[in-house]
Amino acid sequence: MLTNAIAAGAVSEFAADVRAGLTKEGQKELPSKYLYDAVGSKLFEVISELPEYGLTRADERLLRAHAQEIVQQIAGDVVLCELGSGNGSKTRWILEALSRRRHTYYYPIEISPSALRTCERELADIDSVGIVGLEREYLDGLLEVAARRRLGQRILVLFLGSTIGNFSHPADANFLREIRLILQPGDSLLLGSDLEKPIRQLLDAYDDPLGVTAAFNLNLLARINRELDGDFPLAQFEHRVRFNSETRSVEMHLRSRQPQTVKIRKVRLSVRFKEGETIWTENSHKYSPPEVVRMAEGAGFRCVAQWIDWEWQFAESLLMAI
Ligand code: AVI
């Protein structure tokens, strides 16, 4: 009964966001968090393997090389939690380093139940670890972890994979501030952020020749069709990517190939598209290393250390709440 109530709530939130985004004056948009249903999460895993998309491999390389060093900066009994754990493959190195020291609790926080199950399964073999998956929005999950912490325990939050870049400015800085408000001085945040690189390289990464990213993007319309009884004709929309040099972000859009009207029955909505009109589905900001430090300081953290992958310009920043 409770499960049904939560599922119905999630559907109505999706419906409300779809209605708001598609009836917006000017640029239509859909929140990028809805890209990650079961199909979208799998497609994102494939994107991470593509030669053109080096972000996830860079993140993994840094964590693998520096896990021990990262963990050594945080003394005492640490509770690990991760915002948007995905399949958990990047977390392994940090979790192993922590659990060598003492038994460690790990709370992956995910809105995708399928990704959460995969993560729990993938990391179950590590000794001295208790995994408690939380199917929640990031901050709700973090509040729960904070409420469960015992006296003297420190929280280490992982926010990897440059998901921070998917918040537009100033939402990224505001989000760090909200995390900081839940934490206590001495708690830490390990933040992964993708760095600026040549525009051609970025466009290839977000518009790969195999069309996996195109499928990932179009799946959002397929998801609306599935869950909200929509009739988006997928063949009449195309994946478009552009680099916005003002915001220094890669933007993903879905472009209508022709004038058309789409019905979404569960939202009781009829949406008109002009030929060439787009729905903006994702923003992926590219940072500079000092920009990350400034943003963190403005949110109430001190940057303890920053590691950079030079093969695919990517930064891992260890931030301590002050
Ligand atoms: C999850 N996030 C950081 C990815 C990114 O690069 O912005 C999502 C993604 N979108 C297209 N490709 C990958």
Side-chain angles (χ1 to χ4, degrees):
M1 198 59 203
L2 185 64
T3 317
N4 285 342
I6 290 168
V11 169
S12 61
E13 193 194 335
F14 181 37
D17 288 346
V18 166
R19 166 177 283 281
L22 295 184
T23 55
K24 218 175 137 253
E25 274 296 307
Q27 175 69 65
K28 293 179 171 60
E29 55 185 56
L30 291 169
S32 59
K33 66 177 179 178
Y34 294 118
L35 291 163
Y36 302 90
D37 65 346
V39 177
S41 300
K42 284 274 177 248
L43 287 169
F44 180 63
E45 277 183 37
V46 181
I47 291 174
S48 299
E49 301 283 337
L50 295 174
E52 293 81 10
Y53 188 82
L55 189 155
T56 311
R57 286 187 294 280
D59 201 7
E60 255 165 23
R61 267 196 300 277
L62 287 170
L63 294 170
R64 186 177 201 156
H66 302 290
Q68 200 56 44
E69 230 178 304
I70 292 168
V71 163
Q72 271 165 7
Q73 309 273 353
I74 309 158
D77 187 0
V78 176
V79 177
L80 185 66
C81 84
E82 181 166 13
L83 311 181
S85 59
N87 64 17
S89 59
K90 288 178 287 186
T91 318
R92 169 170 294 276
W93 316 110
I94 299 282
L95 204 48
E96 282 182 349
L98 280 171
S99 63
R100 270 197 290 272
R101 215 158 68 180
R102 64 170 76 206
H103 184 274
T104 305
Y105 273 100
Y106 168 54
Y107 296 90
I109 301 167
E110 258 295 338
I111 49 168
S112 160
S114 57
L116 205 53
R117 276 194 301 273
T118 314
C119 165
E120 287 169 335
R121 206 177 42 237
E122 289 293 312
L123 299 175
D125 64 309
I126 309 178
D127 285 340
S128 297
V129 168
I131 306 182
V132 184
L134 299 174
E135 196 183 322
R136 304 264 196 292
E137 295 281 342
Y138 296 151
L139 295 176
D140 290 343
L142 185 54
L143 274 168
E144 179 154 348
V145 175
R148 287 182 186 208
R149 87 153 90 199
R150 287 199 306 272
L151 199 67
Q153 281 184 322
R154 290 216 159 122
I155 296 179
L156 167 60
V157 182
L158 305 182
F159 195 31
L160 305 174
S162 201
T163 302
I164 188 72
N166 297 138
F167 293 69
S168 302
H169 285 310
D172 51 358
N174 292 341
F175 186 67
L176 290 192
R177 235 168 261 132
E178 291 190 74
I179 293 176
R180 172 63 194 88
L181 286 176
I182 300 173
L183 298 180
Q184 290 178 0
D187 290 338
S188 315
L189 167 65
L190 185 68
L191 182 69
S193 48
D194 201 20
L195 301 178
E196 294 171 300
K197 46 188 72 64
I199 293 176
R200 186 67 261 162
Q201 190 183 351
L202 286 173
L203 295 180
D204 288 347
Y206 288 83
D207 195 6
D208 63 275
L210 264 183
V212 185
T213 313
F216 172 67
N217 198 7
L218 280 162
N219 176 56
L220 185 43
L221 302 185
R223 179 176 183 181
I224 294 175
N225 288 351
R226 285 191 297 267
E227 294 181 23
L228 301 177
D229 200 6
D231 65 0
F232 274 102
L234 299 193
Q236 296 313 327
F237 284 85
E238 61 189 350
H239 171 64
R240 279 295 161 98
V241 164
R242 74 180 198 113
F243 184 75
N244 182 330
S245 41
E246 242 167 74
T247 60
R248 285 176 297 121
S249 307
V250 179
E251 293 181 3
M252 286 204 316
H253 290 256
L254 289 163
R255 178 183 181 276
S256 174
R257 293 182 194 265
Q258 59 178 34
Q260 53 189 322
T261 301
V262 173
K263 285 203 183 66
I264 308 172
R265 286 178 199 81
K266 283 200 184 156
V267 186
R268 288 199 204 91
L269 187 66
S270 208
V271 193
R272 285 233 285 263
F273 290 91
K274 297 190 204 101
E275 182 183 341
E277 189 177 0
T278 71
I279 309 172
W280 182 16
T281 53
E282 189 188 67
N283 197 56
S284 194
H285 181 70
K286 304 303 163 192
Y287 295 87
S288 72
E291 181 186 1
V292 177
V293 175
R294 274 197 305 275
M295 179 170 70
E297 286 175 352
F301 291 95
R302 178 172 66 83
C303 184
V304 175
Q306 196 172 56
W307 296 269
I308 293 176
D309 183 86
W310 297 108
E311 195 177 325
W312 177 277
Q313 316 270 323
F314 188 94
E316 218 73 75
S317 308
L318 182 62
L319 311 171
M320 189 158 288
I322 48 177

